[in-house]
Amino acid sequence: MVVKNPMASDGLLCADSLSKSFGTVPVLFSVSFSLKAGEVHALIGENGAGKSTLMKIMSGFHSPTSGRIIYDGESVTLPPNGGAEALGIVLIHQELNLAEQMTVAENIFLGREISKRGILDRQEMNSRVVRMLADVGLDISPDTRISELSIAQKQMVEIAKAMSRNARVLIMDEPTAVLTEAETRILFKQVNRLRDQGVAIMFVSHKLHEVKEISDRVTVLRDGQWIGTSPTADLDLDDMARMMVGRELSDLYPPVNEPDVDAQIALSVTGLQTKNLRNLSFDLRKGEILGFSGLVGSGRTEVFEAICGLVPMHAGSITTFGNEARFNSVAQARDAGIVYLTKDRKGKGLLLEEGMQTNLTLLALPQFARHLILDRKKEEAALTRAIRRFDIRARDPNVLAKDMSGGNQQKLLLAKVMEANPKIVIIDEPTRGIDVGTKQQIYHFIAALAAEGVSIVVISSEMPEVIGISHRVIIMREGRIAGTVSGRDINETQIVRYAAGLNEEKTHA
Amino acid sequence: MPELAQTETTARKPKLDLKMYGPAIALVILCIIGFSLNSAFLSEGNITNLLTRSAFIGIIAVGATFVITSGGIDLSVGSMAAAIAGIMIILMNALVDILGTGVLTVVVGAGCAVLLGALAGLANGLLTTKGKIEAFIVTLGTMGIFRSLVTYFADGGTLSLNFDIRGTYRPVYYDSLLGVPYPVWVFAVVAVAGWLLMNRTTFGRYCTAIGSNEHVAQYSAINVNKIKTWTYVIQGLCVALATVIYVPRLGSASSSTGVLWELEAIAAVIIGGTVLKGGYGRIGGTIFGALILTTIGNILNFTDVVSNYLNGTMQGLIIIIAVWLQRADWGKPKD
Amino acid sequence: MPELAQTETTARKPKLDLKMYGPAIALVILCIIGFSLNSAFLSEGNITNLLTRSAFIGIIAVGATFVITSGGIDLSVGSMAAAIAGIMIILMNALVDILGTGVLTVVVGAGCAVLLGALAGLANGLLTTKGKIEAFIVTLGTMGIFRSLVTYFADGGTLSLNFDIRGTYRPVYYDSLLGVPYPVWVFAVVAVAGWLLMNRTTFGRYCTAIGSNEHVAQYSAINVNKIKTWTYVIQGLCVALATVIYVPRLGSASSSTGVLWELEAIAAVIIGGTVLKGGYGRIGGTIFGALILTTIGNILNFTDVVSNYLNGTMQGLIIIIAVWLQRADWGKPKD
Amino acid sequence: QDTIKIGVSYPTPTHAWAAGMNWHAEQAEARLEALYPDVDLILINSPDPASQASALEDLVSIHGIDALVVLPFESEPLTDPVLNVKNSGALITVVDRGLSQPGIEDIYVAGNNPELGRKSAEYMMSRLESGDNIVILRGIPTTIDNERFDAFMAEIEGSGINVLDHKHANWNRDDGFDVMQDFLSRFPDIDAVWAQDDDIAIGVVAALEQAGRTGDGMFVVGGAGMKETIRGIMDGNELVPVDVLYPPAMIATAMDVTVAAFKSNGPVAGRYILGATLITQENAASFYFPDSPF
Ligand SMILES: Nc1ncnc2c1ncn2[C@@H]1O[C@H](COP(=O)(O)OP(=O)(O)OP(=O)(O)O)[C@@H](O)[C@H]1O
Ligand SMILES: Nc1ncnc2c1ncn2[C@@H]1O[C@H](COP(=O)(O)OP(=O)(O)OP(=O)(O)O)[C@@H](O)[C@H]1O
Ligand SMILES: [Mg+2]
Ligand SMILES: [Mg+2]
């Protein structure tokens, strides 16, 4: 592949032969491309390809090891730490970048507060925030603390914050990874509005259908190299996938093997009630893949956090493999063969300041200890195995979790829960931030697990994913089960109707 | 979902409020105990004494609230107060010969104290931020340094203010305006200014942001080092102010001046609801925290029911219970 | 990519190592200074004294490393040591009449001390975890309580060990095995055990995880409250052990026993490289931290070049410089 | 080994009395070293008993002292460490606080704590009548404080003078001020204050002046012999009319005697108990050292 300087000067913001190394590890190799005013430019590539790194360089958060950034036709050195916002370059970080203990309004205006004679104009800020939140369809008070929001809500706050910055260049690093369809629609409406105003928009995503829909041009990165840039119209989804992974991709979803309707019931929940859940009952069979769908906040996560003892249960009973079970802690659930993979990988999933090995074995640590003494060989072996099994790509095995690419963090988290050798796996948003190639691997992996007799719950806001891999799908709405679909009924229309409350509840317990 | 979100918001309010009023409630309970032990507790004289006494720790604690909110800690405040008091006394004694015993000498002395406080705070701040040394170590170090400096200046003994200037300076501690002693006025002004600074200015917001998540703060183009350094400077200024109203009280400073004030100040801050790890600071709570601490000592002086030797036990128990009263998540399900 | 990975590994190591050896380097520099002041510094007698003396703070600091690593803090250790010493002395004096002045009395006394330490730690731990009160407040409270208890038991004076039993107990401090005094052996055993516990067991890993992110720990099947409580119990046990070897040294306990040990212990931990906010603990560093602190005191006893009053200044400066030496990111590009 | 090395160990001067002691020790050091070129005095202070024990070890292992002058932080904890020094062959002079085992020291120089309490009580009784009220501000809870307090109480027993309450003011001016303020709020009728120590007395006087309760023959008795207090007595201060001596200069006495043990041809071993003199306007001048920090 020839890498040269394509159209380095005809855009608003251009990268000219940017290279970046962390310590001695090179991550980007002489990448050049340009971003024009009034276009939505998608950047795609496998996990760890260097997309986030490139975006951070182009917004000043990292400085390039070599190469230039050209802004408005002039070679510039961008000010660090978000100072580039003053120049009109705004980045929405892949990782949530909000101060948890502070309120929505305080976060949105952090670093550029409005004040009159040194005193904050809180009314002005609050009223502006109310408008911004309305623009992105968020119905929360500006005084809500970030820590009280769901992840999707946090992401929408981030988006609202970025939208309010009057950007000339808006860079969004996987903004939709944690959003559902409905929220993505709202985002796209805003993006289109900005594009029409002449804002240059950079859009990083692993959801290729979104890329196809929203972007005007696509640039592909692979292993830190620029692979190509072309108009979106010229590419179909398979072309993009091929350019990303460098090979043909077979079917994304594995063939769904016939569910065994007589299989033993692995998990049975009856009459579950919590603060937000009302009288929930369902069964999960051995070897079954059960999808959980519904709108954000419909309570899917809470169901399983309650089962694993993370949220107090007010009523209800749980049996696993016929045995009465009531878990007061994750450890008890784990010992009974149930593990839960959180969707909040930064806040609840990974120790960001630790390396891969510590994170990998943390959940199943007793297995790696004999008489409390850790078996470090065994841990190392586990890491080697997990890296292979889940295709975790970190150029440096000692890398800290916070320095891993988002997708690879997700893979590490998956590997972590699988270390516990569970009989029942609950995966909340399994492929959040994962590239197509790896997605395929994960789906096949889930199918294979089910075939081995492991029962799996997949909570997902990505409709195709739920449809593609589940034997049966439960749709939740406002803290209850709105309906259950299986077999041929698993399709988008049905699910959406239940989720929106259009289908009446066929009690299915 | 809209409904859910809403019930959520309204359901949360009461909890917040209880936390908010926790320190005030604890103080009221203490006052009731005090009054039931001895009705003189609520006499005007005692209330005035209590408030005046709280002023020192209170003013210092206001500064400490900023340091702690932004994720730092300052162990040097007690020693710093002693050192500033010492130098101020030496200076004022020397100035008597030049400027006489008038107000001017006092003003110059006080100005110099404020300057010293700012400089000492600046030193702590720069060592922490530029020197990249943990605040705990820096201020443990300067605590030793300041304390030994005052010992050195006083030759191990006591530095006493010239008797001629005392008359001019004394009213700053002992006199009142509208029936309220000057130290209480200063305390009130510092409290209000601190509250405004914390809650109504960008500075306060930046402190919170830094304590909450330094990375986020940095990525929001906040000059983290500058803000952090400023918190220590503010702490230094507060210490200086407290010293300025402390010196006229007994007119002296020695190496035992201000011993353990740092612990008291930090305790006042934490009792008031500020989080030790940073990210959440409450000036109002700090004021109550300081009042609570002083009141505990006051109450113990008001009764001879418990053995003197067990004062520490009572004090410890009351502090723990006071904080427990406000911390326990009443009725909130554990999560 | 495999090749890349390798160069990376080697490239990372040096930086890590400097931080790793920082405390050791600081100690070596101090030793050189000591030797150049007075060659007797490196005499066998002095080295033995130094090590024996470090044992108290060192053992306590090992416990503090666990507490701090898991995000807590324990201010009560000094007072706890005094209280345990006091009760142990009362008990042993009482036992002399029953069990005589033999080894048995000492063993029972020591066993009781260990039990008390565990209980005191348990109290701190439960108040922090179940009571949901900030560790700073809990241990500030128990600090006052323990201290006043010993004052109370001693009636304001000193509790002294029966002279008949001293003979039996004295060797625990003053005698040696293979030329190494017993306290140093105990210190070594505690250090090694602590190191293993921190670095080679699930417990140590859990402490780090909790200090690093409590939520993640909870979601990773870690019983956060249990582990946290255990860290305080371990701290209590370490304090008890330190007390068991302290009592034969001075044969008494009073309200001034162990004053400020908490600050010294925490300082040793932080000098050793453990992070005050939790999530990163280094037992090895703590040992060096304790040695550094003792050495500073030793060196200052060596010379009367500086005014005695300025000891605190020297101490403060040396601590700051020692930490600065190891903290400064030599040549590491700031990012 | 020609020089005679004498270690002098005492608590870190964290309050004025100790500072006075430190000053007198330094004066004595300069004087004695000038007088005898072959005498080397090594002054070390320590912040707590454990450090003092360490300092004693260092004096032996590093300086190889021939004699030790020690003012123990506390009697009990330092008994063994001093015994160790003695076992190294050094001459031992103990100052102020006796060790808890007899026979270790060769020379003992001390003030007299019970005597201080008793003298104070005697003065109180000479000024007050049965039915009068006093309050007491005590020091830091220690044996010294107990000895003074117990002797005072024993002496005043049966005189009809009421002790309204006693609280610890930790030999500290600020604590003295706070505690006295609270006593004044609590007790409308106080006739005299025993502050036990001159530092506390300064706080007490400030509180009395603030409350305007200095009249009616109110008086305060401190203790130790601070120069400002003595100055006041000389000038006829009615609020603090007397003081009871507990001289920090006793360390100098001890150093003199110890050097004499090497230089004098007369026997010096023995006990030197200094009196707890009541300082009044008449005799004040002879206890006034304007250059001392105390
Ligand atoms: N601060 C850092 N220190 C060391 N390595 C880093 C750092 N930041 C990123 N890396 C490494 O750089 C590589 C590229 O990461 P980057 O986050 O740019 O990938 P990405 O394309 O955004 O992937 P994803 O789709 O998973 O988000 C990864 O191997 C990552 O581990
Ligand atoms: N407003 C809120 N304040 C505090 N916690 C909330 C709030 N909303 C939801 N949560 C908590 O967040 C967790 C996840 O919420 P929930 O189960 O409703 O999400 P979900 O249906 O899984 O949606 P998604 O995964 O798409 O975000 C639950 O533990 C719930 O208690
Ligand atoms: Mg990325
Ligand atoms: Mg009368």
Side-chain angles (χ1 to χ4, degrees), chain A residues 52 94 173-174 406:
Chain A
S52 299
Q94 181 174 9
D173 197 350
E174 300 198 35

Side-chain angles (χ1 to χ4, degrees), chain A residues 135-200:
Chain A
D135 279 349
V136 296
L138 261 185
D139 184 27
I140 52 175
S141 149
D143 294 326
T144 319
R145 291 198 186 282
I146 295 295
S147 57
E148 292 168 21
L149 300 181
S150 70
I151 299 186
Q153 286 173 320
K154 289 180 190 172
Q155 183 67 30
M156 291 310 276
V157 171
E158 285 265 27
I159 289 167
K161 178 178 171 185
M163 297 280 182
S164 72
R165 297 298 208 242
N166 295 325
R168 293 180 67 201
V169 176
L170 176 60
I171 303 174
M172 299 186 285
D173 197 350
E174 300 198 35
T176 59
V178 299
L179 300 185
T180 51
E181 284 288 321
E183 288 159 322
T184 306
R185 294 265 75 78
I186 296 173
L187 171 64
F188 283 2
K189 212 169 86 200
Q190 299 293 327
V191 167
N192 281 322
R193 184 175 60 81
L194 292 176
R195 165 168 47 195
D196 295 344
Q197 291 169 4
V199 177

